Amino acid sequence: MNEWQTLYRQLPALTSQQELVDTVLPALAHLLAASGVALYLTDHQDARTANLAGQWGQITTSGPLEWVLHQGQPLVNTASAATNGLFVPVQCGARNLGVLGVERPGGAPFTPAEVAAVQTLAGTLALVVDNLALRQDEGQQAVALIRDQLQKFAQLYEISARLHTARELEPLLHTAAASIAQVFAATAVEITLFDAAGELTWRMAVGLTPTMLRQTTPRSGGSIHTIWRTGQPLLVSDVSLAPAMLHPRLRQAGLRAFVGLPLLGRERVLGVVRVLFDQPQPLLWNLLNPLATCVNQVAIAIENLYLYQRLEDLLTETIRALVHAFEAKDPYSARHSEEVMRYAVALARELGFDEAQCRVIRFGALLHDIGKIGVGDQILLKDAILDTREWSLMRTHPILGAEIVTGIRPLRDVVNMVRHHHERFDGLGYPEGLAGEAIPLEARLLAVVDAFESMTSDRAYRQAISVDEALARLEAGADRQWDGRIVQVWCDLVRREGRRLLGVKWDLLVQEASRRPRPPVVHCPSLSERSSTACLPGEEIRPAEEARRAAAVVGQQRLARG
């Protein structure tokens, strides 16, 4: 449990304003490395002015206090070079209960994530303050209601932490919808996203079937479009009193009340979250404050994801351009890395990798041969077997590639994949001679699809072989050259979905395999331990272990050169 969660879980047990000040302010100062934290509260009956309720450290200025109180908006004050101030309204529904102020040295500005965290805390403190006031003049039923809302805020903070780790839109929206439905005991939750022109771009729900979603597409003038257009929440506690606010199919499905809130981005309304119930909800307004906080966090997570995806797309295109420029020197290996990337991602998904792991696979596959930039063209383009000196230079390319990507922070997870994709399962590979599961899983996966793409593509020194023959060679080398489990999964995938995976290449290989003579092969009984690459003509027959190592070198040369 992190320190923010510890703080949130202490709030429902606070019994006095002084206890609130003594608990929250020092903790917030520690979390934000602040030099001063202060809480200003209005009179319970008069929200026009706020008085200091308590402070930790020293706040050098309270000038923005009145503006934040009257506008109801947060303010980051950087007017002084010596300090940075953050003032956030403490609001409960439409009521301003006070202001939370934080100050720290001028060299440490507040990040957007810190501003959002203080806003969320201020919303929770509003409930605590209201709770303390209600204890004095209202019954236990109201206190129980506030405690329930505080508990919801604690749950919503944990949900928010999960949302901000998502790197794909669909799991982010599903996590948000499922969590909201659970916390607020809702029958269904739907999330609808629009582009800037108002065109629907995404719609998903929990508690509603795909058929129901298709049958209830938002209509112009309906409640979803109204919320998106106005940017204001909409509460309908009993649909029977306003039937036009809910699609007839949803009413027929038994839904009786809903609250809809806009997903407010920095520059536009991103979409709408609608929370639906199967019973009228006379106290629906009580959910507005915690729901608004949660939906605000969903909007922040969506915008952050959009930004992350734009940056990742830019990084991917930059890497593609670099790799294509390098591969363009050799017409035979053009787009080799692109094809390997497609195969690797397909295999990773078949093996159950999540999206974050597939991202590593995508970049690693694109960059796996980037170290060949440091190997001379006379070696890369040679149309014959490499001599000892040339082969020694070729074997350096995984190390060179790893050195190239090591210093690039977004690519640090692919370093071992690039470095070890020419290791062999039996330990006869390079650069370090790793064996078995000591080879990183991503590198073992890459080795299989890299070999397959190489074998099924023409090269200056040989012709492509058929898909069936390539799969047979992979299976022959299982648990020697390649990880047998990964080989089996890849072979099954290609046999099941080869036409989809290979596209036009599938048809070309099938057609040309029937016309081409098979490449000459010398079958060497003493080489029974070799991997999937057969002996080349004239290869010397040696004692079994030496022959196995020699065969491994021949196979490695073929695969290393793509």
Side-chain angles (χ1 to χ4, degrees):
M1 184 189 306
N2 65 34
E3 293 175 273
W4 281 100
Q5 290 173 316
T6 301
L7 174 58
Y8 271 88
R9 293 190 175 185
Q10 290 175 330
L11 299 182
L14 300 179
T15 59
S16 69
Q17 183 174 299
Q18 188 59 49
E19 189 177 359
L20 181 152
V21 168
D22 293 342
T23 300
V24 173
L25 301 194
L28 185 58
H30 170 70
L31 287 167
L32 297 178
S35 55
V37 182
L39 178 64
Y40 306 86
L41 295 178
T42 62
D43 183 88
H44 194 55
Q45 305 299 327
D46 183 3
R48 292 172 298 178
T49 60
N51 299 309
L52 183 66
Q55 71 177 25
W56 182 94
Q58 183 66 37
I59 295 285
T60 60
T61 176
S62 59
L65 179 63
E66 185 175 350
W67 186 92
V68 173
L69 187 65
H70 290 178
Q71 296 296 321
Q73 298 293 326
L75 178 65
V76 178
N77 180 21
T78 58
S80 169
T83 59
N84 283 302
L86 171 61
F87 296 84
V88 176
V90 178
Q91 296 173 313
C92 188
R95 294 180 295 130
N96 285 334
L97 302 185
V99 176
L100 180 62
V102 184
E103 191 171 278
R104 66 185 182 192
F110 292 95
T111 66
E114 289 174 332
V115 173
V118 175
Q119 284 183 273
T120 301
L121 178 62
T124 309
L125 292 182
L127 291 173
V128 176
V129 171
D130 222 29
N131 184 18
L132 295 176
L134 286 172
R135 286 180 181 179
Q136 300 175 7
D137 51 27
E138 294 184 13
Q140 290 301 310
Q141 184 178 1
V143 173
L145 175 63
I146 295 296
R147 281 186 176 276
D148 178 65
Q149 289 195 333
L150 284 171
Q151 187 61 40
K152 284 182 170 59
F153 268 102
Q155 292 174 289
L156 293 175
Y157 175 78
E158 296 177 6
I159 294 170
S160 174
R162 292 201 301 272
L163 291 178
H164 288 282
T165 63
R167 288 294 176 262
E168 297 289 333
L169 185 60
E170 184 173 2
L172 186 158
L173 297 181
H174 185 271
T175 297
S179 300
I180 291 172
Q182 179 183 4
V183 171
F184 294 96
T187 306
V189 175
E190 59 178 347
I191 301 178
T192 306
L193 301 183
F194 298 94
D195 63 17
E199 295 295 324
L200 189 149
T201 59
W202 196 283
R203 188 161 183 246
M204 65 82 59
V206 295
L208 299 178
T209 65
T211 300
M212 180 70 74
L213 274 182
R214 288 193 298 271
Q215 294 174 342
T216 57
T217 300
R219 302 164 295 173
S220 179
S223 62
I224 289 179
H225 268 282
T226 299
I227 296 167
W228 176 80
R229 189 180 66 256
T230 63
Q232 297 296 321
L234 177 63
L235 288 80
V236 178
S237 58
D238 189 342
V239 169
S240 65
L241 303 178
M245 289 291 99
L246 196 62
H247 196 285
R249 289 287 291 114
L250 294 175
R251 297 201 306 273
Q252 292 169 13
L255 296 169
R256 297 291 179 264
F258 73 87
V259 54
L261 296 102
L263 286 160
L264 299 174
R266 284 183 283 270
E267 298 180 354
R268 66 179 183 89
V269 180
L270 304 174
V272 174
V273 175
R274 196 162 61 167
V275 185
L276 303 112
F277 302 88
D278 59 5
Q279 297 294 329
Q281 301 289 316
L283 298 179
L284 192 59
W285 63 270
N286 287 328
L287 302 182
L288 186 58
N289 207 34
L291 253 178
T293 297
C294 183
V295 170
N296 180 54
Q297 292 300 310
V298 175
I300 292 172
I302 291 172
E303 283 210 314
N304 287 344
L305 178 60
Y306 285 163
L307 176 60
Y308 174 85
Q309 289 177 336
R310 286 197 294 270
L311 291 173
E312 184 161 295
D313 289 345
L314 178 61
L315 178 60
T316 301
E317 291 309 310
T318 302
I319 292 172
R320 275 199 175 107
L322 175 65
V323 171
H324 288 171
F326 163 66
E327 291 182 338
K329 295 188 296 183
D330 179 4
Y332 288 98
S333 65
R335 300 192 66 80
H336 165 71
S337 296
E338 191 87 24
E339 292 297 290
V340 170
M341 179 194 73
R342 287 198 312 104
Y343 299 164
V345 172
L347 177 55
R349 288 182 173 142
E350 188 74 6
L351 288 166
F353 284 32
D354 61 27
E355 286 305 316
Q357 292 170 307
C358 286
R359 172 186 178 276
V360 174
I361 295 295
R362 183 178 297 111
F363 285 139
L366 268 178
L367 288 164
H368 74 282
D369 277 342
I370 196 66
K372 289 181 181 177
I373 287 177
V375 179
D377 290 352
Q378 71 277 14
I379 296 176
L380 295 175
L381 305 181
K382 186 175 180 179
D383 60 359
I385 296 297
L386 304 180
D387 63 30
T388 303
R389 183 191 65 82
E390 292 167 335
W391 176 228
S392 177
L393 289 172
M394 176 62 80
R395 286 165 59 98
T396 65
H397 85 267
I399 298 173
L400 293 174
E403 289 174 352
I404 289 171
V405 298
T406 293
I408 304 172
R409 174 168 292 188
L411 302 176
R412 61 180 179 269
D413 292 334
V414 310
V415 172
N416 283 334
M417 190 175 172
V418 172
R419 184 180 184 89
H420 296 297
H421 73 280
H422 279 298
E423 303 286 1
R424 287 172 50 110
F425 207 67
D426 58 9
L428 297 181
Y430 62 92
E432 295 179 16
L434 301 182
E437 295 189 359
I439 306 168
L441 175 61
E442 296 84 357
R444 282 180 270 147
L445 179 157
L446 176 58
V448 171
V449 294
D450 186 28
F452 177 83
E453 204 288 325
S454 176
M455 287 189 283
T456 55
S457 299
D458 286 332
R459 292 294 182 262
Y461 49 90
R462 60 158 174 78
Q463 290 180 322
I465 62 175
S466 70
V467 171
D468 287 341
E469 186 172 353
L471 296 181
R473 291 193 181 192
L474 287 175
E475 289 174 330
D479 292 326
R480 290 198 295 271
Q481 187 159 354
W482 301 287
D483 184 323
R485 181 179 71 93
I486 295 175
V487 166
Q488 192 58 58
V489 172
W490 174 248
C491 291
D492 290 346
L493 180 62
V494 172
R495 290 181 176 122
R496 188 177 70 247
E497 301 184 33
R499 187 177 297 276
R500 179 185 65 80
L501 281 171
L502 276 67
V504 175
K505 188 175 181 179
W506 173 273
D507 295 323
L508 291 175
L509 287 171
V510 170
Q511 293 168 10
E512 295 192 17
S514 63
R515 297 198 297 265
R516 287 180 174 175
R518 288 177 60 86
V521 174
V522 175
H523 294 283
C524 308
S526 61
L527 300 185
S528 58
E529 292 297 312
R530 69 183 300 128
S531 69
S532 66
T533 304
C535 306
L536 293 176
E539 184 173 28
E540 182 182 354
I541 298 177
R542 306 176 187 179
E545 181 60 23
E546 289 186 16
R548 187 165 72 93
R549 291 181 178 275
V553 169
V554 172
Q556 288 165 10
Q557 283 200 21
R558 290 182 171 185
L559 297 180
R561 297 169 67 187

